Amino acid sequence: MNGKSFFVDLTKCTACRGCQVACKQWKKLPAEETVNTGTHQNPPDLSYNTIRLVRFKEEVVDKKIRWNFFPEQCRHCVDPPCVGYSEVEGSMIHDPDTGAVVYTELTKQENYEDILSSCPYNIPRVDPETGVISKCDMCIDRLRIGLRPACVTSCPTGTMNFGDREEMMDLAEKALATVQKKFPEAELVDPYETRVIYLTAYPAQEYYEYLMADAAQTPRKGLTRKQLFAKLGGAAARMRS
Amino acid sequence: MTNHWTDIKNSDCILIMGSNAAENHPISFKWVTKAQEQGAKLIHVDPRFTRTSAKADMWAGLRSGSDIAVLGGLIKYILDNELYFEEYVQNYTNASFLVNEDYAFDNGVFAGYDPKTRTYDKSSWAFQMEENGVPKQDPTMQDPNCVLQLMKKHYERYSLENASRMSGLSIDELKELYSTYAATGTGDKAGTIMYAMGWTQHTVGVQNIRAMAMVQLLLGNIGVAGGGVNALRGESNVQGSTDHCLLYHILPGYLKTPKSWQDSLAAYDKDYTPVSNDPESANWWSNYPKYSASLIKSMWLNDDPATAYNYLPRLDTGAASEYAWLTLFDKMGKGKFQGLFAWGMNPACSGANAGKNREAMANLDWLVNVNIFPNETGWFWEGPDMNPETIKTEVFFLPCAVSIEKEGSVTNSGRWMQWRYKGPEPKKGTMPDGDIMYELMKEIQHLYEKEGGAYPEPVTRLTWDAIATDGVFDAHKVAKLINGFFTKDTMVKGKTFKKGQQVPSFAYLQDDGSTCSGNWLYCNSYTDKGNMAARRDTTQTPMQANIGLFPNWSWCWPVNRRVLYNRASVDLKGQPYAKNKPVIKWDGTKWVGDVPDGGWKPGTKHAFIMRKHGYGQLFGPGRADGPLPEYYEPLECPVKEHPYSGQLHNPTAIAFAEEQKAVCDPRYPLVCSTYRVTEHWQTGVMTRNIPWLVETEPQVFCEMSRNWPSSRASTTATRLSWTACAAPSGPSPSLPQGSSPSPSTATPSIRSVCLALWLDVAQERRRLRQPADPVRR
């Protein structure tokens, strides 16, 4: 068993935000007070109470508009750097069955800046009042009773898929081959490093700066994000859980 | 929809025009995406670049209101290049019919126009008839008076250049659009149209849809899998309310509302029962008297239909200017109404001229607002420019149960009647709408019985308890009554039925009161076999599975036929044109696949059984605003003239003299259109009370192009600060020089700035003392 994975086919995402709302509903997370800032994207960023966010980005390429949608969540890295950086026992659990990376209330004892900077995808968010850090937990409570994550069940177009890792990798590679006929720049984003495998139609940076772990990222604690992965087991191809 | 949601996956080319399906019908994209996976092209024609455009192979950003220029151009392109499906056009449409020689069209107006009444005398639009009473045809389609030739002549003016000039699309864009869509004009390809309010809410709304229906007929796309003309309904049961005919001009099952001069049921039936002398025309509406008698019987079970016909209200005219929704508020404003039930509707918010509606409501004696939450209609007297002290209207609020708290059916866009069971009990103090209506009418009956009145019989004779059990509203009884039952022991088609037995299908309805049916189209939905709408069986044959047809899942009108006009999907021998996705097929002894449009052997009846002559109507002689769609500008527009004729606006459009129109008015330089967002529903009465949705879309907003000069934009934005509209920045052909972006620079209009955040939902609610703050802190 290599645990579970998501396959997220962005070529099919219509940014309906069903997943974003389904996430809040299942997690009983409160709504934030927002304002319209000239984009549908709202809340503007991830937060302690918004652990899943659909990002909207407009690009004009060859006088044609590309409006790219990116449902962002924790990638549940195969070898999660955040867990490697954890200094508090029991604050982060790397579930052996699924590969889910689950944060507990003990994260309030962590150094949030360290945890955030360890993440190649800029995901963890802290509750300013309690210091507890939060992010997607793969709906591990649902998985334990045989349900799929809430976001996946809400998706109308087949963008969000979830299942055994081998099955998702297989699906991802087949989809890539099909999609490349229409979108030659299509790519799978960090498929070996993460459990949330995005398929893009266009280069990843046209969606969001943190969609793909950036090899040229300014070193944090002396390491690039790619190096971080390498340091933490270089599990790339092994896909162990 | 002639087809249904799942069927969209069978399409080879999906045209979304007059709709933003990805945002307003998100689930539809399940099927659009499946079609795309199999290689279908997706074209989005819309003034705005939306989430639908983002998924399309092609986006064509037309100027709002220029649809018929584009569609007329498509018709011309198909005719000029002979891209129509010839066998289909010959056999199944009225292309070969000869039109009366008196028919004429001159400078934007058809023959028979009366400027005083703003209506047409349509007699000259009729077809020439043979002596035996069958329409004259020219099978070669060369006669100058035949429909195909008249269409060629009519659409001569609809050149690429003119379409480009009015729509703002480039000629290259138009060519790409036309050639891609017209490629479906072969037997094995299917193109579909998904449209919504972007087409219907125009003074040429009917003709927008007519124009596309004609395109579909020319290309052989009606009746086939992945084709059809598909209206996307904006509310879960709009199709159901349409079928049960809430509008003034029709009664349940699309029967006509009686007119004052039709003083007997026989006279009424005679006016609306078409007669065909062609033995091959099924002319299904010839059954009209059976449906009207059964409808009347369903309401007055203790009277014979001829007597009870007199209980129906009658109209003095069919004119929209007398009875339509807009007129209702116009008359209310003039004090011609005393009371209003606003039931599941929020006209103070949803009307195009909401301010006018609010002012009108101030003239009422009473207003009853039935809704799940208080809304702008109920508190209109607190709105802008209102002085509660001088408003006499007494407002009552009746809280009703939400959809999941009651049992009943909804009919989706694909005509599926789907039964819903009741979930939780309604909150204390609220009631399902059916219970409210039942109790209300019981009280009205009681009052009429006690106090009499001008004409009490229609109310007192009403067999209202047919929808209740032991004095309580019963959704199953309503559904059974809508289907209909035998009112006495009857023999039909050699079968005997006992009194009280459900009518198995509308083919068994009678015109003598021996059957009742609240809606003939739904006859077959609740039979002696049970509630067909409650079925959830996915069993299907391999042929049905191939096109995603689930005949045992819920129930679909008519008689569970999932694709309307499906006899046009096969040739005269009953063999499917599309071998890879047949809808029906004659196997030598019977039809297989979908329920066919009539069970007759292939080639024995014309395909379009609901039309008097049996043919799809390229030429539509019954339409109010002309037999062929014609280009007219919206009543408010940025152009003084257009290249198609000297007639700027639709001469039959309903207009209110007191309402000012901005035509080329420099004070209103922008073409605006309103639209909906994914995250809110209707006027937001429900969704604005859901914090997660308010979080995603917290405010009403306005989008404008960054290309507008900043001074103009900011002035306009100020003005917009109190006007409920949003501005797409599509190219406008005749705006002052230098202010109109050319089509190429207009492209990034989506890179819009959000200006004038003029109505903060949360603030508004606090101001109005609505108790629930939508945002949790």
Side-chain angles (χ1 to χ4, degrees), chain B residues 211-232:
Chain B
M212 192 64 207
M214 288 161 64
V215 168
Q216 292 295 67
L217 284 172
L218 287 171
L219 298 175
N221 280 335
I222 303 263
V224 306
V229 176
N230 296 306
L232 315 183

Side-chain angles (χ1 to χ4, degrees), chain B residues 17 65-69 71 197-213 629:
Chain B
M17 188 167 173
S66 65
D67 302 70
I68 288 178
L71 293 173
M197 301 283 180
W199 265 1
T200 56
Q201 294 193 340
H202 284 277
T203 52
V204 291
V206 171
Q207 299 295 1
N208 281 336
I209 295 146
R210 268 274 298 149
M212 192 64 207

Side-chain angles (χ1 to χ4, degrees), chain A:
Chain A
M1 275 289 288
N2 278 319
K4 302 288 183 187
S5 284
F6 294 80
F7 166 56
V8 187
D9 184 347
L10 297 183
T11 68
K12 295 181 181 173
C13 179
T14 58
C16 73
R17 300 198 275 188
C19 58
Q20 185 179 319
V21 173
C23 174
K24 287 221 159 176
Q25 187 176 22
W26 180 255
K27 294 289 181 194
K28 296 189 170 65
L29 292 168
E32 300 182 39
E33 191 162 14
T34 55
V35 292
N36 186 316
T37 58
T39 167
H40 291 302
Q41 184 178 312
N42 238 335
D45 194 10
L46 293 175
S47 73
Y48 180 76
N49 286 325
T50 301
I51 58 175
R52 176 176 192 83
L53 176 68
V54 178
R55 293 185 182 273
F56 294 68
K57 187 143 188 248
E58 295 162 20
E59 290 281 334
V60 176
V61 179
D62 297 334
K63 289 191 178 171
K64 290 212 164 175
I65 307 164
R66 290 175 182 175
W67 200 9
N68 293 333
F69 312 130
F70 168 45
E72 181 181 39
Q73 63 172 103
C74 168
R75 310 298 201 278
H76 298 279
C77 296
V78 174
D79 281 294
C82 57
V83 176
Y85 269 73
S86 168
E87 291 175 350
V88 182
E89 196 175 341
S91 84
M92 296 179 189
I93 293 157
H94 193 190
D95 180 56
D97 294 336
T98 60
V101 178
V102 181
Y103 286 10
T104 72
E105 291 221 334
L106 292 176
T107 49
K108 66 185 171 194
Q109 297 170 30
E110 300 278 7
N111 180 332
Y112 170 62
E113 290 305 320
D114 279 358
I115 300 301
L116 178 63
S117 64
S118 78
C119 176
Y121 304 104
N122 193 32
I123 294 294
R125 293 293 186 272
V126 69
D127 181 345
E129 283 170 22
T130 63
V132 176
I133 307 171
S134 80
K135 63 164 198 67
C136 163
D137 66 359
M138 212 186 259
C139 278
I140 192 153
D141 48 350
R142 292 174 61 92
L143 300 187
R144 294 247 162 95
I145 54 169
L147 298 172
R148 292 175 301 158
C151 54
V152 178
T153 57
S154 77
C155 180
T157 60
T159 303
M160 299 293 305
N161 302 275
F162 184 83
D164 291 338
R165 182 160 173 82
E166 290 83 355
E167 188 197 338
M168 288 301 109
M169 287 295 270
D170 194 41
L171 197 60
E173 273 155 24
K174 282 188 183 137
L176 174 67
T178 310
V179 164
Q180 272 175 332
K181 289 175 203 152
K182 188 165 166 183
F183 302 105
E185 299 166 287
E187 60 184 335
L188 294 174
V189 179
D190 302 337
Y192 303 114
E193 291 88 349
T194 72
R195 291 185 180 277
V196 183
I197 304 155
Y198 289 98
L199 169 60
T200 65
Y202 307 113
Q205 64 269 24
E206 287 189 20
Y207 292 76
Y208 180 53
E209 60 176 314
Y210 291 112
L211 170 53
M212 182 181 277
D214 184 358
Q217 180 73 34
T218 312
R220 298 192 182 191
K221 297 211 169 182
L223 295 173
T224 67
R225 286 179 169 160
K226 287 288 186 200
Q227 286 168 327
L228 269 171
F229 275 132
K231 175 177 168 283
L232 289 156
R238 299 210 309 274
M239 302 190 303
R240 66 177 174 79
S241 52

Side-chain angles (χ1 to χ4, degrees), chain B residues 178-193:
Chain B
Y178 292 171
S179 60
T180 308
Y181 198 77
T184 64
T186 60
D188 57 345
K189 295 281 182 206
T192 191
I193 167 66

